[in-house]
Amino acid sequence: MTDLLEETGDERADAALGGLARLGELPVSAHVDVFEEVFTGLEQALAVVDDTPDQPR
């Protein structure tokens, strides 16, 4: 597996991506649920950024 970044610099994104650490302890059949949770967390983090005025992009 590819090495992942330890931190992105955004707490919300880091929290969402932290869920990927669970993949090694779960059967492959459970990976889809983890990916969906991570994806949802990243979507929520992006939504907050989109709603924040005067944020550099």
Side-chain angles (χ1 to χ4, degrees):
M1 184 176 267
T2 305
D3 291 333
L4 299 174
L5 293 174
E6 288 186 25
E7 293 182 5
T8 65
D10 184 283
E11 291 179 21
R12 295 171 297 254
D14 291 341
L17 291 170
L20 295 175
R22 298 187 346 236
L23 293 175
E25 62 194 43
L26 296 172
V28 173
S29 61
H31 287 192
V32 171
D33 291 335
V34 173
F35 293 141
E36 288 176 351
E37 289 173 18
V38 170
F39 182 74
T40 298
L42 292 172
E43 279 186 318
Q44 291 171 348
L46 286 172
V48 170
V49 171
D50 286 343
D51 292 340
T52 306
D54 301 326
Q55 279 287 347
R57 295 182 189 238

